[in-house]
Amino acid sequence: MDKTLNTLLGYLRYFLCLLSLFAILGCSHSRPESSSSYMTPVANTNLSDYFHMKIPNGWKSLNRNEYVGIASYRLVRQAENSSSFTGIQVIRIAPEHFRGATSDADGDNRKVDMSKYCIESMSDARKVGVVGVKKIPPRIIDKLQTCAYSGYEMHENRKYFVHYWFVWRHDGMWKIFINSDPDADEIPRELVKALDTIRWERR
């Protein structure tokens, strides 16, 4: 009798162990995986991500207190200062202030039709006096599709050839303007190449 009871108790313990094991495995599979595909955090649209660009030889980045205007980043030749029009200016428009964006009902996932935006921006440029406006082939900047066009602007009776680049991100529209040297018909090659070094870092 004792032998039969011991055998039954052994089977019972074995059965309970199996139940515990299945319960543990079930709990582990019910947890969401911590991967980027599971949750995309919504950025604080009042703050921009950190902008990085490799500065080409012969150029320098101005400190924010060295120039006026809304540009968040300015690049000029080593021997120049904020009075120079030649170089790069980077401007960001926060998503909530960008009139061309559409969004979901909750305000997230703001999107922009970049092709439409480029056409409208080219039209606006002509209205304010930019001449020779022409669309140029887009490129990928930090894994993001861009749109771009070129044209000529007048500053202090000098003509500047300009590239206008636009990148839409979760933290808004980034506008990258590259100005040639005075009265030149092309952009310094190293400045165009610098577009490939642009990176944004999440806050």
Side-chain angles (χ1 to χ4, degrees):
M1 183 71 179
D2 289 342
K3 184 176 180 181
T4 304
L5 182 61
N6 286 335
T7 301
L8 288 173
L9 288 174
Y11 281 130
L12 182 61
R13 282 194 294 269
Y14 178 73
F15 180 70
L16 290 174
C17 287
L18 284 176
L19 283 179
S20 299
L21 180 62
F22 286 133
I24 292 171
L25 290 174
C27 289
S28 66
H29 281 293
S30 65
R31 293 180 188 138
E33 296 180 5
S34 58
S35 67
S36 59
S37 62
Y38 174 66
M39 181 182 292
T40 301
V42 176
N44 182 349
T45 56
N46 292 320
L47 295 174
S48 67
D49 286 347
Y50 295 110
F51 175 88
H52 301 284
M53 185 177 73
K54 185 177 180 180
I55 301 174
N57 292 333
W59 299 82
K60 66 178 179 180
S61 174
L62 296 178
N63 293 324
R64 188 61 188 87
N65 60 0
E66 292 183 271
Y67 62 92
V68 296
I70 63 173
S72 55
Y73 186 88
R74 277 206 64 186
L75 196 70
V76 297
R77 291 193 185 278
Q78 282 285 1
E80 299 293 338
N81 54 35
S82 61
S83 64
S84 173
F85 292 101
T86 302
I88 293 179
Q89 291 191 47
V90 180
I91 298 170
R92 181 188 76 99
I93 300 178
E96 63 269 27
H97 299 307
F98 191 77
R99 58 181 174 82
T102 59
S103 65
D104 296 341
D106 59 2
D108 289 337
N109 300 317
R110 291 182 175 90
K111 299 178 178 66
V112 169
D113 183 335
M114 291 301 287
S115 179
K116 179 181 177 183
Y117 175 75
C118 209
I119 292 172
E120 293 175 349
S121 183
M122 290 169 68
S123 177
D124 292 341
R126 292 186 183 101
K127 292 176 184 176
V128 297
V130 180
V131 298
V133 175
K134 183 172 66 175
K135 194 169 184 179
I136 55 179
R139 67 198 296 140
I140 300 297
I141 296 180
D142 196 15
K143 300 179 183 179
L144 296 169
Q145 186 65 51
T146 66
C147 74
Y149 61 91
S150 63
Y152 291 90
E153 293 182 2
M154 295 295 296
H155 296 291
E156 298 179 353
N157 297 318
R158 304 295 296 275
K159 183 178 71 172
Y160 292 83
F161 184 55
V162 187
H163 276 191
Y164 308 83
W165 294 90
F166 305 97
V167 187
W168 176 253
R169 306 183 69 255
H170 71 95
D171 57 348
M173 179 67 79
W174 289 76
K175 303 184 175 187
I176 305 166
F177 304 148
I178 312 180
N179 284 30
S180 73
D181 289 304
D183 303 318
D185 292 323
E186 60 181 20
I187 301 292
R189 185 172 299 179
E190 64 271 22
L191 294 187
V192 178
K193 288 183 176 180
L195 292 172
D196 295 329
T197 71
I198 291 176
R199 298 291 183 271
W200 283 272
E201 179 186 349
R202 294 293 286 263
R203 285 184 183 270

